[in-house]
Amino acid sequence: MRRYLVIANVNAGRAEREALDAAVGVLSAASSTEVRMSPDLAALDAALTGLDGQVPVVAGGDGSLHLVVNRLLQLGWLDQVTVGLLPLGTGNDFARAAGIPLDPLAAAGALTTARPCRFDLLEDDTGRVVVNAAHAGLGAEAAASAAGHKRRLGPLAYPLGALLAGFREEGWALRVSVDGTPCAVGERLLMVGVANGPTIGGGTPLCPTARADDGRLDVVAVSAVSPAARMGFVAALRAGTHLDRDDVHHRQGTRVRVSGEPVRHDADGELDVEVTDRGYLVVPGAWSLLCPDAPAN
């Protein structure tokens, strides 16, 4: 019988704590369940090093999952530990990709009978791994603009951030290559997405063809920099038809490099400083997550 160690954010708000308590109640009724609040990396490492056969269950979103997976990698245990997920974040995009119910109570119930599934990761030049997606340009600036509104607006913060960033940015002169072949050269780009999962920002289908278990990464480079082109791109993005546009380049491969003007990157919601060169490669089947037997709606 599985034993669970739920790892939660000590700074969670009241609503998140109430949802966490209810989900923990479901897990506790099924098996031994312990909750560990994680205020810093030292506390997180202490929880992970003291698992003793427990399943670490991340109570949070893509950022929390990103942090735990990276710490397990750095501790040398990522290939030995299966992770669980209770989606309590703002976007919960990887939960969507994995078919995990977005309601924490439903996710807890599904967790008690879930099976281990292997998923890919994206690894960047710094040795950090990305669980769901990385993006540079407008997407990263949107995330930065949305950060101050997450607590109040929840998933609506990302569209607001995109709107605010969109008024300010005029694109970046970037070069993008996939498996060594140029994807976008000599264009100003609004954003570049490197996707393991299909959505970002709480369900925005940046790369609807992406699968987190197919051994490939998906790249979307957007050159819609004029005001009219941006409006058209945003409308197509909402409809999921943006990959058909002439100013959107889509490729699949195993590695990508983005270089040129300094640009901010966002990895699973974790913001970087501006860099002039960054590469990502896919690591197939790098980790294991407990998933429902059937995809959630």
Side-chain angles (χ1 to χ4, degrees):
M1 182 178 293
R2 292 174 182 146
R3 295 180 295 119
Y4 303 105
L5 176 64
V6 178
I7 300 172
N9 183 356
V10 72
N11 296 317
R14 179 178 177 180
E16 289 86 355
R17 289 297 296 270
E18 290 177 351
L20 172 64
D21 291 343
V24 167
V26 172
L27 292 179
S28 297
S31 185
S32 170
T33 302
E34 179 184 353
V35 178
R36 189 77 62 87
M37 306 308 287
S38 179
D40 52 36
L41 288 180
L44 175 59
D45 285 354
L48 295 176
T49 54
L51 285 174
D52 190 29
Q54 293 170 298
V55 174
V57 178
V58 179
D62 292 341
S64 298
L65 190 61
H66 171 97
L67 180 59
V68 170
V69 168
N70 273 276
R71 297 310 293 177
L72 285 170
L73 176 66
Q74 290 160 17
L75 291 167
W77 297 340
L78 185 58
D79 60 346
Q80 305 168 35
V81 174
T82 296
V83 179
L85 177 61
L86 294 174
L88 289 172
T90 303
N92 301 311
D93 287 289
F94 199 79
R96 288 179 168 86
I100 295 172
L102 299 184
D103 176 72
L105 273 179
L111 197 57
T112 63
T113 59
R115 57 187 173 83
C117 298
R118 303 296 299 188
F119 288 105
D120 308 334
L121 288 171
L122 309 179
E123 182 178 7
D124 70 18
D125 294 334
T126 71
R128 174 186 57 184
V129 291
V130 180
V131 173
N132 183 64
H135 42 94
L138 181 64
E141 295 301 330
S145 297
H149 304 283
K150 276 188 176 182
R151 179 75 68 183
R152 182 167 54 90
L153 297 178
L156 295 176
Y158 187 83
L160 174 62
L163 180 64
L164 294 174
F167 280 125
R168 293 196 301 264
E169 303 299 344
E170 297 180 354
W172 292 260
L174 300 174
R175 298 178 297 277
V176 181
S177 63
V178 179
D179 291 340
T181 300
C183 171
V185 179
E187 299 178 75
R188 293 196 70 83
L189 298 180
L190 189 66
M191 68 176 296
V192 179
V194 185
N196 192 33
T199 68
I200 63 172
T204 301
L206 177 64
C207 199
T209 60
R211 288 178 53 94
D213 60 357
D214 63 357
R216 297 182 296 180
L217 53 78
D218 283 60
V219 179
V220 177
V222 181
S223 58
V225 294
S226 72
R230 289 187 193 199
M231 292 179 62
F233 167 70
V234 169
L237 179 62
R238 290 174 177 169
T241 61
H242 56 291
L243 298 186
D244 297 328
R245 291 176 57 91
D246 292 339
D247 53 13
V248 176
H249 309 277
H250 172 228
R251 300 286 187 276
Q252 292 181 316
T254 59
R255 63 179 64 232
V256 61
R257 182 155 297 279
V258 181
S259 59
E261 290 184 342
V263 63
R264 190 195 301 266
H265 287 242
D266 175 302
D268 292 331
E270 300 298 310
L271 292 169
D272 276 352
V273 297
E274 293 182 337
V275 295
T276 58
D277 187 74
R278 175 62 53 83
Y280 300 89
L281 62 86
V282 67
V283 185
W287 69 299
S288 179
L289 178 71
L290 290 174
C291 299
D293 288 331
N297 293 323

